[in-house]
Amino acid sequence: MGSTAKEEMNKFWDKNSRLNRPMSPHLTIYRWSVPMMMSITHRGTGLALSSGISAFAAAALLLPGSYPDYLDLIHSLSVGPYLIGLAKFGIAFPVSYHTYNGIRHLCWDLGKGFRLPQVNRSGYAVIGLSVITSVILALI
Amino acid sequence: MAAVYKLSSVCRRGVHPLLYQSALLARPAAILQKRREPPCLLTARIHSSQALHSGADSKAASMHWTAERVLSIALLAMGPVAYYSPGPVIDYSLAAALTLHGHWGIGQVLTDYVHGDAKVKMANAGLFLLSTVTFAGLCYFNYNDVGICKAVALLWSK
């Protein structure tokens, strides 16, 4: 009967690419805000963690030997406590941030905390908690 | 075929809740204003989608959304469990939950950034392959090696 939204969208994009129309600037001109940055960081940490897990899984399938052997290998390089602490922070921060911001997302999904002051406050809470948790985890 | 609505009050009076009507007025009409202005001819196209088809689609999407949130909460709960009672059950549960959460998450990223039927299909196929390998690798690690919980514990004891 009528055309679906999907068909209309495809027609729109087809016409634009056919006529080689330039796209208006967006990310380069729009003013960045803390909620915006936190949102893309949530996505970034998610992608990074997922890649890490996939890489670990692939390594488990492809590399010979067992996990403790590889740990001993790293240990024998004796990289020094600061670098180890840094590496632990590097792992702990994405996990912490993604977890805390994930909880923030779940609160939104329940319909809570949408007013702008609440968004900013919960955002700063997530950042603060993430840093504190990561530092603590890096030290133990 | 697009249906045509008469939007008589858009001119200067704001939009009428004509959208609530399900009946369609098929005739475009000229509206004469009291002031001496050219009659404004207002038509609009609306899209009617097959109600049943879109109902099933949106139901599936809605259930997927809910499943994503349920999985997220389950994954949150697995953290403390993994810490306080590590073992093979939580190892395999983590393997499944992490893989699925990542699979659905990357799926949303692809939906956002990949356009075009062929590219979408390719990307999702690649994702499926990646997630399969990830799950297989994690299960292999759980079975033949120390397991996820122990691995994290060992890594942190360094």
Side-chain angles (χ1 to χ4, degrees):
Chain A
M1 269 271 103
S3 53
T4 64
K6 208 171 190 178
E7 289 169 12
E8 291 290 315
M9 280 196 293
N10 287 334
K11 283 203 291 193
F12 174 79
W13 286 108
D14 285 341
K15 185 172 182 182
N16 285 336
S17 44
R18 192 173 23 97
L19 295 174
N20 264 323
R21 284 176 171 168
M23 193 145 140
S24 306
H26 40 81
L27 292 173
T28 46
I29 57 164
Y30 199 85
R31 187 184 186 182
W32 282 93
S33 62
V34 172
M36 269 171 87
M37 291 192 267
M38 291 193 66
S39 179
I40 192 64
T41 307
H42 188 77
R43 182 161 270 192
T45 50
L47 286 172
L49 290 169
S50 209
S51 315
I53 290 173
S54 292
F56 178 79
L61 286 172
L62 297 172
L63 299 179
S66 73
Y67 179 75
D69 299 337
Y70 286 103
L71 275 189
D72 291 335
L73 185 71
I74 299 173
H75 209 52
S76 70
L77 294 174
S78 47
V79 274
Y82 286 121
L83 220 61
I84 292 180
L86 205 66
K88 286 184 180 176
F89 184 86
I91 296 176
F93 185 76
V95 175
S96 305
Y97 180 89
H98 193 83
T99 305
Y100 288 125
N101 203 222
I103 297 173
R104 187 167 165 242
H105 262 286
L106 289 170
C107 290
W108 288 333
D109 292 336
L110 288 170
K112 298 181 174 308
F114 271 110
R115 276 193 258 121
L116 198 50
Q118 294 173 313
V119 169
N120 285 320
R121 251 183 277 135
S122 63
Y124 291 128
V126 162
I127 295 174
L129 280 170
S130 300
V131 173
I132 293 171
T133 308
S134 310
V135 167
I136 294 175
L137 286 175
L139 293 173
I140 57 173
Chain B
M1 213 163 45
V4 171
Y5 258 62
K6 176 177 92 170
L7 292 171
S8 54
S9 17
V10 171
C11 255
R12 268 170 214 98
R13 263 170 18 217
V15 182
H16 216 39
L18 264 171
L19 300 164
Y20 298 143
Q21 291 177 332
S22 52
L24 311 172
L25 290 168
R27 262 187 357 269
I31 304 122
L32 288 162
Q33 308 276 308
K34 283 198 187 121
R35 299 165 250 173
R36 212 103 30 101
E37 280 180 46
C40 57
L41 184 74
L42 292 165
T43 62
R45 285 185 184 231
I46 61 139
H47 311 296
S48 58
S49 30
Q50 299 88 351
L52 221 69
H53 182 72
S54 62
D57 268 353
S58 92
K59 184 103 203 223
S62 182
M63 285 169 59
H64 180 82
W65 186 93
T66 307
E68 285 179 329
R69 319 295 130 156
V70 168
L71 180 64
S72 300
I73 294 170
L75 194 51
L76 271 174
M78 285 188 209
V81 175
Y83 183 74
Y84 289 110
S85 55
V89 172
I90 188 69
D91 275 345
Y92 285 99
S93 307
L94 268 175
L98 282 172
T99 313
L100 192 54
H101 183 73
H103 180 78
W104 282 344
I106 297 179
Q108 295 291 354
V109 176
L110 292 181
T111 307
D112 279 350
Y113 300 139
V114 178
H115 305 292
D117 292 325
K119 281 192 242 176
V120 167
K121 230 171 186 175
M122 292 285 296
N124 280 314
L127 174 62
F128 211 90
L129 190 62
L130 180 69
S131 298
T132 309
V133 170
T134 303
F135 187 59
L138 288 177
C139 287
Y140 179 87
F141 186 79
N142 282 332
Y143 191 79
N144 289 310
D145 214 316
V146 293
I148 295 176
C149 296
K150 194 79 176 118
V152 176
L154 284 174
L155 181 68
W156 233 255
S157 69
K158 220 161 39 83

